[in-house]
């Protein structure tokens, strides 16, 4: 087992400002990156921008800018998006950087030397906004099959990559690596597509000027996907002999939207096979968001601005909603009303309430000093059990529930099922709230002979809140850090916590002085 984990977002086009779709992929990667760190892995997390191509050239022209000027302006939005969403990326790549030119040209040369690139003539239907060529069969009524906008007829000299040659090898590869494409349903789609036969792929253009020059072929620039996909290696220093590339490659997980899965699951491994480079371990395709039941579009004026969401609700609530609301991999519908509902009913009323109820009682009954769990456990063990939550089984109950939650989150994260991980955490918090309700510490507090039981109930509740804070850290990093500070004052940052050791029952320190409140998820007023 390697102790490294390399995860990537797609690189985002700079012809427009970031929207919820970009935020979604990046947040999903961030949650995974943070989780892997807590699992003890060294993580490299790359994101960045895709700055070449016709789309950007055209947008720049409209704005009377050079493509470079446009890219320099728009990239700032993407660079600012990462701290706004509390993203923990370790690298940021722009495809206009010299290091990327070196990488793309090197990959091109390798493929050429291996006889997989040849000069031909390209003719087809081209959709400018999608930067995709389509065949006669794919185009209906002169419209792009994915976006429905009009396509143009194009013919020009072009270098081709022998994708057709890789059909069998790809099919073999999918068979040997059943987890390469996830989720399963998407994997079947890709396999069916490859089984249908692959055409060679045009990888250069003479009509385009805004791109990376084809080595030794004046007039040709490298066509978008060959350029864009290579970013995943550029980010690690490819083709230099520095140790970074060896350390991190092959990528463990390329996270992408369902619309760009084919490029990652078919073209990318074929390019790498051709150049004799290891193929990535897996590609996961997530679904798309509609907004209040409608497709998100500029013309409808319903594009969700992630900066706006963060200003209104905070990064934690926004992150939480996106990963909790839909089964990761399926499409979902975004609405602020639902976001508020989720954040209030789960983050504020369940998690925030658990923590604050327990801290409030700790302050009231124990002057805020954490009672010793041993003392409580001892008493409980020697007392006959009449009242379920107070008996040893009662205490064991929450430690068992916590262990179950840790395991469930671990399994969910292995499956890239963020929604399941969050459901398991909320389930744990619900159990803990029920435990408080049924143990009635406010009744125990009235009888001095039940002081140890009272201490144990509060210990168990706070300890469960601590474990919930730990498990929430990949999803709501800021709030988790606050909870962690409230429960373990002066301790290490939650980012440095490790699931294997810090999720063990008993991490809450007896004798520690805790605050009487810890406001982490204020109720969102409608
Ligand atoms: N530049 C290419 C990717 C190259 S990767 C080598 C690109 N860029 S993009 O800016 O158009 O899109 C980036 C990501 O945003 C994609 O993963 C896409 O699926 C995602 N989304 C765009 N709109 C979306 C929604 N409405 N909902 C969810 N994600 C969506 O493609």
């Amino acid at each position: 087992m390697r102790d490294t984990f390399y995860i990537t977002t797609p690189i985002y086009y700079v012809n427009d400002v970031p929207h919820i779709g970009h935020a979604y992929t990046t947040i999903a990667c961030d949650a995974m990156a943070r989780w892997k760190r807590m699992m003890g892995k060294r993580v490299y997390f790359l994101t960045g921008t895709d700055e070449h191509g016709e789309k950007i050239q055209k947008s720049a022209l409209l704005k009377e800018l050079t493509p470079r000027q446009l890219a320099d302006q728009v990239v700032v939005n993407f660079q600012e998006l990462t701290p706004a969403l509390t993203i923990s990326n370790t690298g940021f790549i722009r495809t206009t950087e010299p290091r990327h030119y070196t990488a793309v040209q090197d990959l091109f040369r390798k493929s050429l030397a291996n006889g997989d690139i040849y000069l031909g003539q390209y003719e087809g239907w081209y959709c400018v906004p999608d930067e995709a060529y389509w065949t006669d069969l794919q185009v209906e009524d002169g419209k792009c099959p994915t976006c429905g906008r009009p396509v143009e007829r194009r013919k020009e000299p072009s270098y081709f990559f022998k994708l057709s040659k890789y059909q069998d090898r790809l099919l073999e590869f999918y068979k040997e690596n059943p987890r390469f494409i996830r989720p399963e349903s998407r994997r079947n789609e890709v396999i069916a597509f490859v089984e249908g036969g692959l055409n060679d792929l045009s990888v250069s253009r003479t009509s385009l000027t805004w791109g990376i020059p084809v080595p030794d072929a004046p007039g040709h620039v490298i066509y978008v996907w060959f350029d864009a996909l290579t970013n995943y290696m550029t980010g690690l220093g490819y083709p230099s002999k520095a140790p970074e590339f060896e350390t991190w490659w092959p990528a463990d997980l390329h996270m992408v939207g369902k619309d760009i899965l084919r490029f990652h699951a078919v073209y990318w491994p074929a390019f790498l096979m051709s150049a004799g480079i290891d193929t990535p371990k897996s590609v996961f395709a997530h679904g798309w968001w509609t907004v209040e039941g409608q497709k998100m579009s500029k013309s409808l004026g319903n594009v969700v601005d992630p900066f706006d969401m963060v200003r209104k609700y905070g990064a934690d609530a926004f992150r939480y909603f996106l990963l909790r609301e839909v089964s990761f991999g399926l499409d979902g519908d975004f609405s602020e009303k639902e976001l508020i509902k989720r954040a209030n009913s789960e983050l504020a009323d369940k998690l925030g309430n658990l923590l604050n109820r327990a801290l409030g009682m700790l302050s009231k009954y124990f002057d805020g000093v954490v009672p010793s769990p041993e003392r409580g456990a001892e008493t409980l063990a020697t007392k006959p059990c009449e009242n379920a939550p107070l008996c040893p089984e009662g205490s064991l109950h929450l430690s068992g529930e916590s262990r179950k939650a840790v395991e469930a989150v671990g399994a969910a994260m292995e499956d890239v099922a963020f929604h399941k991980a969050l459901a398991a955490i909320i389930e744990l918090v619900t159990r803990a709230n029920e435990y408080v309700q049924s143990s009635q510490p406010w009744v125990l507090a009235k009888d001095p002979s039940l002081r140890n039981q009272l201490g144990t109930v509060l210990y168990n509740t706070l300890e469960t809140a601590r474990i919930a804070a730990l498990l929430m850290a990949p999803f709501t990093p800021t709030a988790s850090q606050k909870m962690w500070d409230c429960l373990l004052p002066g301790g290490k940052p939650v980012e440095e916590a490790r699931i294997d050791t810090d999720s063990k029952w008993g991490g809450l320190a007896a004798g520690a002085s805790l605050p009487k409140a810890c406001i982490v998820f204020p109720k969102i007023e409608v």
Side-chain angles (χ1 to χ4, degrees), residues 179-194:
R179 285 165 68 82
F180 174 65
I181 302 166
R182 286 181 292 168
E184 185 75 23
S185 56
R186 302 259 171 234
R187 174 172 189 264
N188 297 335
E189 279 172 28
V190 171
I191 291 176
F193 170 76
V194 176

Side-chain angles (χ1 to χ4, degrees), residues 364-387:
K364 191 161 164 197
Y365 306 134
F366 290 88
D367 283 329
V369 178
V370 178
S372 156
E374 287 84 7
R375 214 158 42 109
E378 222 173 76
T379 323
L380 287 173
T382 52
K383 279 225 159 204
C385 186
E386 283 156 14
N387 179 355

Side-chain angles (χ1 to χ4, degrees), residues 10-13 19 21-22 50 225 228 232 257 259-260 286-289:
I11 45 171
Y12 304 119
Y13 287 130
H19 57 60
H22 307 114
D50 193 352
W225 285 99
Y232 300 130
D259 54 318
I260 56 172
H286 65 66
W288 269 45
W289 288 93

Side-chain angles (χ1 to χ4, degrees), residues 270-283:
F271 295 162
L272 293 168
M273 285 171 183
S274 161
I277 299 170
D278 286 346
T279 46
K281 298 259 171 64
S282 73
V283 180

Side-chain angles (χ1 to χ4, degrees), residues 32 35 179 182 284 328 405-424 475:
M32 186 55 86
W35 171 257
R179 285 165 68 82
R182 286 181 292 168
F284 192 101
F328 197 70
V406 172
E407 278 163 19
V409 172
M413 295 305 273
E414 269 309 294
D415 286 344
V416 200
F418 303 111
H419 58 293
K420 283 193 189 162
L422 287 168
F475 306 98

Side-chain angles (χ1 to χ4, degrees), residues 21 27 58 88 91 106 122 166 175 226 249 266 269 273 302 405 432:
I27 288 170
K58 282 201 168 171
S88 63
D106 186 87
Y122 190 83
Y166 286 90
K175 205 155 117 199
F226 199 94
W249 194 260
V266 182
M273 285 171 183
N302 65 349

